[in-house]
Amino acid sequence: MSGQSILVVDDEKEIADLIEIYLKNDGYNVYKADNGEDALSIVGKYPIHLVILDIMMPGLDGLEVCRRIRMDKNIPIIMLSAKSQDMDKIMGLTTGADDYITKPFNPLELLARVKSQLRRYIYLNPKARIEQRQNADIVQASDITIDKSCHRVYVGDREVNLTPTEFGILLLLASSPNRVFSSEEIFEKVWEERYFESNNTVMVHIRKLREKIEVNPRNPQYIKTVWGVGYKFED
């Protein structure tokens, strides 16, 4: 994972989902919001490194969201809009956006602009360079935070105590959200030993891990069983 988190703000679910796919495939952590209020809440709560922000939204529009983010943060903001008039671009940029792209757009072009803005932000911002090094040790998946440097895990604001094996399983699954791992793959990556058929070790540790991080272990929110295949962390 890149360790960089990007917030996608768009009330058109299909567009937000498409952008999410491309960003996650490139290793970014992705948060999504479909309105301005939720977007500001996420920026205030999580370490966001870049915002992709649609202008036309109900309630708080993208321009107002941009203004409010700029009150105390200098993270890159890329505006999205169906409008292509020069005046609309000028308004977006003068509000505080760093870049502007019109719909429909090529996702690969958007991805290239994301990389460019992040490179510029980190290169020109010493604090961001420090945060980048620190964030390499942090895995954020849903509301679970994993600190690799000190082997700590938080569910929301609550710290949970995991054994080294439980920590290894959670780190493996959460580092690749929604990817399904077989029991064999989990065992060989975490235990670093050869897996033998009918080995229930992974299942037992998954159960214990769920008891510590899930509200209802019988109906898990985070670690899902994919019957006949394995387990995944659902983000």
Side-chain angles (χ1 to χ4, degrees), residues 158-192:
R158 175 177 65 91
E159 183 174 2
V160 294
N161 295 316
L162 302 182
T163 67
T165 300
E166 292 163 354
F167 183 91
I169 293 173
L170 180 61
L171 179 61
L172 174 67
L173 298 179
S175 295
S176 300
N178 303 312
R179 177 188 164 186
V180 180
F181 291 84
S182 67
S183 294
E184 177 180 357
E185 190 174 7
I186 294 172
F187 187 88
E188 292 183 350
K189 287 181 179 296
V190 175
W191 277 263
E192 298 182 345

Side-chain angles (χ1 to χ4, degrees), residues 145 147 150-162 212-213:
T145 304
D147 188 333
C150 56
H151 273 235
R152 288 185 171 179
V153 174
Y154 299 86
V155 180
D157 296 327
R158 175 177 65 91
E159 183 174 2
V160 294
N161 295 316
L162 302 182
K212 294 182 179 182
I213 68 171

Side-chain angles (χ1 to χ4, degrees), residues 4-220:
Q4 295 162 342
S5 296
I6 297 176
L7 171 60
V8 179
V9 189
D10 200 312
D11 62 336
E12 295 184 66
K13 185 177 185 300
E14 296 79 6
I15 292 179
D17 289 347
L18 176 66
I19 295 173
E20 179 184 25
I21 290 170
Y22 276 84
L23 291 174
K24 283 193 169 182
N25 284 344
D26 217 56
Y28 296 104
N29 303 316
V30 179
Y31 296 84
K32 291 190 296 184
D34 60 8
N35 63 78
E37 290 83 358
D38 287 350
L40 292 173
S41 175
I42 291 171
V43 169
K45 186 176 181 181
Y46 298 104
I48 302 298
H49 299 92
L50 181 143
V51 179
I52 299 173
L53 179 61
D54 184 39
I55 290 182
M56 302 299 292
M57 291 186 297
L60 285 180
D61 65 16
L63 295 174
E64 182 58 26
V65 173
C66 183
R67 289 189 189 97
R68 296 192 187 186
I69 292 175
R70 280 288 172 259
M71 288 180 182
D72 60 356
K73 295 186 182 295
N74 66 342
I75 55 177
I77 298 175
I78 299 177
M79 286 283 198
L80 296 179
S81 177
K83 298 181 178 180
S84 59
Q85 298 297 321
D86 288 341
M87 186 53 65
D88 296 312
K89 294 181 181 181
I90 291 171
M91 285 183 62
L93 295 172
T94 55
T95 301
D98 299 278
D99 203 352
Y100 187 106
I101 189 167
T102 57
K103 299 177 181 179
F105 55 86
N106 184 330
L108 293 177
E109 180 186 354
L110 176 61
L111 188 60
R113 296 198 188 191
V114 165
K115 292 178 179 179
S116 175
Q117 289 297 330
L118 285 171
R119 280 197 303 269
R120 185 177 298 113
Y121 172 62
I122 293 170
Y123 178 76
L124 296 176
N125 188 343
K127 182 179 178 182
R129 290 202 296 272
I130 295 172
E131 289 177 350
Q132 174 71 3
R133 290 195 296 270
Q134 293 173 337
N135 286 333
D137 289 327
I138 301 295
V139 173
Q140 183 76 48
S142 187
D143 62 345
I144 289 183
T145 304
I146 304 171
D147 188 333
K148 295 187 290 185
S149 64
C150 56
H151 273 235
R152 288 185 171 179
V153 174
Y154 299 86
V155 180
D157 296 327
R158 175 177 65 91
E159 183 174 2
V160 294
N161 295 316
L162 302 182
T163 67
T165 300
E166 292 163 354
F167 183 91
I169 293 173
L170 180 61
L171 179 61
L172 174 67
L173 298 179
S175 295
S176 300
N178 303 312
R179 177 188 164 186
V180 180
F181 291 84
S182 67
S183 294
E184 177 180 357
E185 190 174 7
I186 294 172
F187 187 88
E188 292 183 350
K189 287 181 179 296
V190 175
W191 277 263
E192 298 182 345
E193 297 177 12
R194 184 180 175 187
Y195 180 85
F196 294 96
E197 197 172 350
S198 301
N199 188 332
N200 292 325
T201 303
V202 171
M203 181 182 67
V204 171
H205 281 81
I206 290 285
R207 186 177 70 243
K208 291 181 178 178
L209 178 57
R210 283 172 171 160
E211 290 172 354
K212 294 182 179 182
I213 68 171
E214 302 281 1
V215 174
N216 181 2
R218 294 181 178 276
N219 184 25

